[in-house]
Amino acid sequence: MLKKERQSFILRQVNIHNKVLSSDLSVEMNVSEDTIRRDLNELSDEGKVIKVHGGALSKSFHFSIRSHHVYSLDAKKTIAHKAVQLIKDGMFVLTTGGTTIIELAKALPIELSATFVTGSIAAAYEYMHHPNIELIFIGDKVSKNAQLTVGGEAISKIRQLKADLCFIGTNALHAEYGLTDNDWDVVQIKKAMIDTSKKVVALSISEKVNTQ
């Protein structure tokens, strides 16, 4: 595979899944991790990805509060407007983070009156500016990569709740393996949210379907 093809593949994967690991890319493309690291360094120097230890992050995910360079933005807005129709006045709603969740927060009707609970800094920022939304922020250690609170205290607080609805931002969605993510701490938060909610809705663009 030529360098241009490798880097195009890497960009597509990081935009779809928000985060990529060098070890995974090495296996998928059958090249050395040194080659992947050089590609990631070049892409980072060009401002196309954010290089982190062991891989890279999507720029759209990392700077989601400012919504610059959001991948598949039109599709995510369409998903958000469909998802909003599930929310009713008086509901207790749990959400993770991610760019599609941010579009959901922006699409909430001005007259909606509900309580939203999140550990996502970007989502909380949007909920905070809605006139009729009550916001409960789940505090604990902050994952800089995910911009989400993680850890035992956050999980304990989530498990004390009984939410009517939970919106999960997806990393990957597969018919056999279900929802998967490449961040262990984030996985534990999502599991706790799923366990404590009456209904769970996964927000996913089509490119994440049948991936893991």
Side-chain angles (χ1 to χ4, degrees), residues 4 46 57 70 83 89 130-131 138 151 161 168-170 197:
K4 186 175 181 180
E46 293 169 5
L57 298 174
V70 176
D89 282 342
H130 190 289
I138 302 164
L161 307 172
I168 295 283
T170 57
S197 302

Side-chain angles (χ1 to χ4, degrees), residues 11-206:
L11 278 175
R12 178 176 169 78
Q13 293 304 306
V14 78
N15 280 320
I16 292 172
H17 301 296
N18 301 321
K19 176 182 178 181
V20 291
L21 302 178
S22 299
S23 55
D24 289 344
L25 292 170
S26 174
V27 172
E28 289 181 62
M29 290 190 284
N30 194 28
V31 296
S32 70
E33 286 196 46
D34 284 339
T35 298
I36 297 298
R37 277 192 287 270
R38 286 194 294 271
D39 284 337
L40 291 178
N41 284 334
E42 284 189 27
L43 291 169
S44 178
D45 290 342
E46 293 169 5
K48 295 177 179 177
V49 301
I50 299 165
K51 182 75 169 64
V52 294
H53 179 69
L57 298 174
S58 165
K59 293 194 73 174
S60 69
F61 185 71
H62 196 65
F63 296 108
S64 53
I65 288 179
R66 291 187 282 270
S67 296
H68 290 169
H69 312 294
V70 176
Y71 183 72
S72 292
L73 180 58
D74 288 343
K76 291 174 180 179
K77 285 183 176 180
T78 298
I79 292 168
H81 281 91
K82 289 181 179 293
V84 160
Q85 298 173 35
L86 300 173
I87 308 170
K88 308 300 180 186
D89 282 342
M91 275 191 168
F92 207 81
V93 184
L94 265 171
T95 76
T96 59
T99 50
T100 311
I101 295 288
I102 304 310
E103 293 309 315
L104 169 72
K106 291 178 179 178
L108 295 174
I110 203 77
E111 68 276 7
L112 178 68
S113 177
T115 300
F116 278 71
V117 185
T118 189
S120 165
I121 296 169
Y125 176 85
E126 297 297 337
Y127 300 142
M128 187 172 63
H129 288 86
H130 190 289
N132 297 309
I133 293 297
E134 189 76 26
L135 169 64
I136 298 175
F137 189 76
I138 302 164
D140 202 336
K141 172 186 173 182
V142 175
S143 165
K144 291 182 180 179
N145 288 349
Q147 298 182 2
L148 184 75
T149 52
V150 296
E153 186 176 344
I155 292 170
S156 176
K157 288 177 179 176
I158 291 167
R159 293 195 184 282
Q160 294 176 41
L161 307 172
K162 287 298 177 186
D164 298 297
L165 196 55
C166 175
F167 290 105
I168 295 283
T170 57
N171 184 282
L173 180 61
H174 195 279
E176 183 178 354
Y177 300 105
L179 297 172
T180 56
D181 201 297
N182 52 21
D183 187 315
W184 175 259
D185 290 330
V186 172
V187 166
Q188 306 315 306
I189 293 295
K190 289 182 177 181
K191 280 185 173 181
M193 286 186 170
I194 290 169
D195 289 345
T196 196
S197 302
K198 294 178 183 177
K199 180 181 287 187
V200 178
V201 181
L203 306 183
S204 173
I205 58 174
S206 59

